[in-house]
Amino acid sequence: MATALAKGCVRAGILSPAKLIASDVVPAALAAFAKETGARVASTNRAAVSDACVIVLAVKPNQVAGVLADIAPVFTHKHLLISIAAGITLARMEAALPAGARVIRVMPNTPALVGASASAFALGSHATADDAATAQKIFGAVGIAYQVKENLLDAVTGLSGSGPAYAFLVIEALSDGGVAAGLPRDVATKLAAQTLLGAAKMVLETGKHPGELKDMVTSPGGTTIEGLHKLERGRVRAAFISAVRAAAAKSKQLGKSQ
């Protein structure tokens, strides 16, 4: 995710590779990041923070406390911390840093790798409007980004954070259906993926309600209504609602346990 964000910012002209500096406890990962982005590397977290103004914390939730304890002595009023660690609250990060620390918590998703991420972010108690604009610029470079209240980030996790996996499952299932109906696997998968891509673009670009767009495809007595009937009998709609709610609940639980 860190690599995707860095490449997106460079691609969008927000910053040059020379403005990027990174640290990582795994030398191979750090070398790969530098090769992919053209960034400079630092030997320690403190060195990276000392040479930066905006810090993107892209580590696993169980690593956050250790990293914050490490960088706290060199974290100053000039720094903005943007965390993409799931479940770690703004209050916990602020408490681990010097008083007045500016912190933003973000939930992006993996399509950032192809410039199509859906992200949401929440501001800490000391973050400013300029800080919000910075987060918008960074995450907008790899997709779309919305500012929300922190208590909504678990819902964001359940929907867009976990959502790509749901979409991949749908693509795989549609491809299976195509194969069952006689299509070659490669053709079926590409048709399924392009169909979801096209449907998503229609929602985003027309501004029409998904139900209205669904009705435009559904002719009286036609093939589509037969397929939709099967999906409704299978409670597919309810299953997706339950999946989002379950993932959101799990996100909230993980946040309390970290």
Side-chain angles (χ1 to χ4, degrees):
M1 188 65 74
T3 301
L5 290 173
K7 290 175 71 174
C9 288
V10 171
R11 185 169 54 245
I14 294 173
L15 48 75
S16 66
K19 295 288 186 179
L20 284 168
I21 185 166
S23 62
D24 196 304
V25 295
V26 180
L30 186 60
F33 181 89
K35 182 178 180 180
E36 288 261 355
T37 64
R40 295 175 293 134
V41 299
S43 57
T44 65
N45 291 330
R46 291 188 185 185
V49 169
S50 297
D51 199 29
C53 290
V54 178
I55 303 150
V56 177
L57 184 61
V59 300
K60 296 294 185 183
N62 61 1
Q63 298 172 321
V64 170
V67 174
L68 294 183
D70 182 22
I71 67 173
V74 295
F75 195 95
T76 71
H77 67 278
K78 78 170 185 177
H79 291 116
L80 167 64
L81 178 76
I82 298 177
S83 170
I84 63 172
I88 305 300
T89 65
L90 291 165
R92 289 176 63 183
M93 290 186 284
E94 288 172 343
L97 294 170
R102 291 149 47 222
V103 178
I104 294 179
R105 179 181 166 192
V106 188
M107 174 48 63
N109 66 6
T110 55
L113 294 168
V114 292
S117 181
S119 304
F121 62 92
L123 305 185
S125 56
H126 304 290
T128 66
D130 286 343
D131 295 333
T134 296
Q136 183 72 54
K137 185 180 293 185
I138 292 172
F139 290 88
V142 291
I144 61 173
Y146 294 97
Q147 183 177 340
V148 300
K149 294 180 179 179
E150 186 180 19
N151 63 359
L152 295 177
L153 285 180
D154 290 318
V156 172
T157 301
L159 176 56
S160 56
S162 300
Y166 311 154
F168 297 143
L169 182 66
V170 171
I171 291 170
E172 184 181 32
L174 288 173
S175 176
D176 285 346
V179 171
L183 289 172
R185 172 63 71 182
D186 59 336
V187 174
T189 299
K190 289 175 182 176
L191 287 174
Q194 183 65 31
T195 297
L196 262 68
L197 174 63
K201 285 175 68 68
M202 287 184 71
V203 172
L204 293 173
E205 295 180 11
T206 67
K208 294 182 183 295
H209 190 280
E212 181 181 355
L213 293 170
K214 178 203 70 179
D215 288 348
M216 290 168 57
V217 186
T218 310
S219 304
T223 60
T224 304
I225 193 62
E226 289 298 320
L228 287 171
H229 182 221
K230 288 291 187 182
L231 292 175
E232 293 293 355
R233 288 189 64 181
R235 296 179 56 82
V236 169
R237 187 192 302 263
F240 277 115
I241 294 172
S242 295
V244 173
R245 293 182 67 183
K250 182 67 172 181
S251 174
K252 186 175 295 186
Q253 177 186 341
L254 289 173
K256 292 178 179 178
S257 64
Q258 294 298 333

